[in-house]
Amino acid sequence: MTDQYQAFSKSPIGKFVIKNLGLPSPIELDRFESATPVIKGAVLLGAAPNSILSGAIAQVLSNVHANSYAGNNAELQQVAAQSGLNLSAFNEGDKESKFKAVVFDASGIESSEQLNELYKFFNPIARQIQVSGRVIVIGLTPESAKTVKQAIAQRALEGFVKSVGKEFKKGIAADLVYVDAGAEQNLESTLRFLLSPRSAYVSGQVIRVSQAKVLEVDWTKPLAGKTALVTGASRGIGEAIAHVLARDGAHVICLDVPPQQADLDRVASSIGGSTLALDITAPDAGAEIKAVAANHGGLDIIVHNAGITRDKTLANMKPEMWDLVININLSAAERINDYLLNNQGINENGRIVCVSSISGIAGNLGQTNYAASKAGVIGLVKFTAPILEQGITINAVAPGFIETQMTAAIPFAIREAGRRMNSMSQGGLPVDVAETIALFASTGSSGLNGNVVRVCGQSLLGA
Ligand SMILES: NC(=O)c1ccc[n+]([C@@H]2O[C@H](COP(=O)([O-])OP(=O)(O)OC[C@H]3O[C@@H](n4cnc5c(N)ncnc54)[C@H](O)[C@@H]3O)[C@@H](O)[C@H]2O)c1
């Protein structure tokens, strides 16, 4: 649905009114377009002394042909050169240069006293980041730090990044990546995602990268040869997921309930996919999915997107409303995963991606059933991730306010609040959720397991 306030804010009168009343001014965010570079615009790279991830970061910047700069940092220049990255010189006093992304390797920070490296690097350039730009800080997973002091300092990065996300405005997203010891070779898919317009509505997030076998991937078609199944694919976010996974090269099986068959056919035919009309709560849903996927070489990716709301305060909620929401949003996904994992229903290096919600993180009035189901999805990811084998991973996205039929039905005042109460001052688009799902679905994301990433423009809810 259209955001009329955003359209108004672009008109001359709108600009005047917004400026004078100090109202939020939503920027039109850059979104992915095919056949364009990962990042359009200059990248400024920085590093704290003794950082150990700069080589891996420089390698990715080199792979994506980023126009990269660095200030006066001989150690960084040398490491970058070894990775084949040519860093142009940036003079700190130069206020004219603008950057599309600023990447800082904070892995060398070993104590809270050294956190001033963040200040020293970011303070002079804080006003030099372009509209819809990126701030990416890369640190070490605090749990894998060698000393308590280092763990504390690395944990502190989170507060810094989240504040930058709220402060910089102009549609600039700020995110933190924690890399486990020995996992630097697994960083590429995450860094490509965060640098690119695919992450337009992902801000204030922490993505954790762990060590895993590095798989060969064609970054222009990271899902080539893969078979994906998306539940709830006949409309809304599910439709966008089906499109993005097909764009990235997958054969997509679009699943929805039988009454949605016409829409399902429309979506599947537009992406050369196939359909499965099935209620995911059916006892044999897992077996049906396995059987259909077998016709396409077996299942590589399953996206548990189907979900419903039945909102009522707890005192007014009928038992069937409780049961239906928990069953569709949580228990069905659990049962399908159990079946597939116990019956070789997911191929080696398979990807399970779930859809949670910020309601499952923050709770919401009238949504005890929905929030419980979506918090359960986070539990599903957290407790399944460590027991998976054969390179299979599980992750979730937690959307915030996304412009869909679901949110169009919310009363005006609450809808406006949901839309504006985030660092981007606007709702996200279904494609923003889909792009983040595509990150987790990617062959290159073997090191992402157990993550829950919010796609919420850094919503204040549950922040
Ligand atoms: N729209 C938002 O702002 C938002 C925010 C947070 C989370 N989410 C989550 O994102 C997901 C998609 O939301 P949406 O806004 O696109 O909703 P939607 O209602 O437009 O689409 C949901 C789809 O799931 C299907 N579905 C429902 N029950 C099913 C069942 N038993 N078996 C098979 N399919 C079934 C529906 O037919 C529908 O096509 C949901 O899990 C939702 O909870 C949405």
Side-chain angles (χ1 to χ4, degrees):
M1 68 173 296
T2 54
D3 179 345
Q4 284 167 347
Y5 177 85
Q6 189 173 19
F8 172 68
S9 73
K10 282 194 220 131
S11 68
I13 175 98
K15 281 185 187 144
F16 177 80
V17 171
I18 282 168
K19 187 162 178 238
N20 284 287
L21 294 180
L23 295 171
S25 173
I27 293 288
E28 194 168 334
L29 303 175
D30 294 350
R31 298 251 164 37
F32 176 79
E33 291 165 47
S34 46
T36 53
V38 169
I39 179 154
K40 283 194 254 179
V43 179
L44 179 66
L45 179 60
N50 306 318
S51 286
I52 57 170
L53 298 170
S54 305
I57 297 167
Q59 186 64 61
V60 177
L61 292 175
S62 167
N63 292 353
V64 304
H65 308 293
N67 176 16
S68 307
Y69 289 77
N72 186 15
N73 183 337
E75 192 185 337
L76 182 59
Q77 303 275 3
Q78 199 184 354
V79 171
Q82 281 162 6
S83 300
L85 181 71
N86 178 25
L87 286 171
S88 304
F90 168 64
N91 166 10
E92 248 181 37
D94 168 12
K95 296 289 170 199
E96 296 307 309
S97 297
K98 300 280 180 225
F99 300 101
K100 194 67 182 178
V102 177
V103 183
F104 186 72
D105 178 1
S107 59
I109 295 179
E110 290 183 350
S111 68
S112 54
E113 289 82 0
Q114 292 172 4
L115 286 166
N116 65 359
E117 293 296 334
L118 291 169
Y119 178 85
K120 284 195 276 183
F121 177 74
F122 282 101
N123 168 269
I125 52 95
R127 293 197 180 88
Q128 290 173 252
I129 302 173
Q130 288 171 336
V131 165
S132 210
R134 296 289 184 275
V135 170
I136 305 167
V137 175
I138 305 185
L140 294 177
T141 309
E143 290 78 5
S144 68
K146 287 197 206 81
T147 66
V148 171
K149 276 178 92 59
Q150 187 184 30
I152 294 167
Q154 291 294 318
R155 179 62 181 77
L157 301 176
E158 214 176 306
F160 174 81
V161 168
K162 288 185 176 177
S163 296
V164 165
K166 291 184 177 177
E167 227 176 81
F168 280 20
K169 307 282 185 222
K170 297 191 296 183
I172 295 167
D175 292 288
L176 172 64
V177 185
Y178 278 138
V179 180
D180 276 359
E184 53 275 14
Q185 294 312 317
N186 297 101
L187 183 60
E188 183 152 6
S189 67
T190 303
L191 195 46
R192 280 176 175 262
F193 171 75
L194 291 177
L195 287 167
S196 82
R198 294 170 198 246
S199 55
Y201 203 60
V202 176
S203 190
Q205 298 307 296
V206 180
I207 301 182
R208 290 167 182 264
V209 178
S210 38
Q211 191 178 12
K213 191 172 165 194
V214 178
L215 303 172
E216 208 167 301
V217 55
D218 168 1
W219 294 105
T220 59
K221 285 267 177 227
L223 304 181
K226 302 290 180 188
T227 296
L229 181 133
V230 180
T231 70
S234 73
R235 66 178 199 211
I237 293 172
E239 179 176 358
I241 298 167
H243 275 274
V244 168
L245 298 187
R247 178 202 71 194
D248 283 354
H251 174 86
V252 183
I253 304 167
C254 304
L255 178 153
D256 213 303
V257 288
Q260 289 292 109
Q261 183 73 60
D263 279 335
L264 211 47
D265 289 342
R266 176 183 55 79
V267 175
S269 70
S270 70
I271 57 170
S274 41
T275 65
L276 175 56
L278 173 73
D279 187 325
I280 54 166
T281 63
D284 61 346
E288 285 257 0
I289 289 171
K290 185 184 169 190
V292 172
N295 301 327
H296 302 278
L299 194 62
D300 297 294
I301 299 153
I302 182 161
V303 183
H304 294 293
N305 161 75
I308 60 160
T309 50
R310 290 292 182 275
D311 297 355
K312 274 275 183 237
T313 57
L314 187 59
N316 290 327
M317 191 179 293
K318 300 263 183 292
E320 55 273 20
M321 295 168 90
W322 177 275
D323 290 342
L324 193 65
V325 168
I326 298 286
N327 197 14
I328 292 176
N329 294 2
L330 177 59
S331 309
E334 258 184 281
R335 283 191 301 266
I336 291 169
N337 285 353
D338 284 348
Y339 182 88
L340 294 174
L341 291 168
N342 293 328
N343 294 279
Q344 281 145 14
I346 300 192
N347 292 342
E348 203 180 330
N349 299 314
R351 305 277 179 257
I352 305 170
V353 192
C354 303
V355 178
S356 177
S357 164
I358 55 167
S359 185
I361 295 168
N364 213 1
L365 192 151
Q367 292 200 319
T368 48
N369 51 357
Y370 183 74
S373 73
K374 293 298 185 179
V377 168
I378 294 171
L380 175 67
V381 165
K382 186 171 175 193
F383 300 113
T384 307
I387 58 170
L388 291 173
E389 292 168 349
Q390 295 187 302
I392 298 172
T393 63
I394 183 166
N395 295 280
V397 298
F401 185 100
I402 305 297
E403 304 281 357
T404 61
Q405 286 184 17
M406 200 188 221
T407 47
I410 300 173
F412 175 77
I414 302 175
R415 188 169 72 225
E416 254 322 275
R419 222 180 226 158
R420 304 290 163 225
M421 280 167 55
N422 59 68
S423 298
M424 304 290 167
S425 304
Q426 59 191 285
L429 302 180
V431 71
D432 298 325
V433 180
E435 296 284 11
T436 311
I437 285 175
L439 163 70
F440 291 132
S442 170
T443 306
S445 294
S446 48
L448 299 181
N449 191 23
N451 278 279
V452 178
V453 167
R454 295 164 51 146
V455 183
C456 65
Q458 200 178 21
S459 168
L460 295 178
L461 270 184

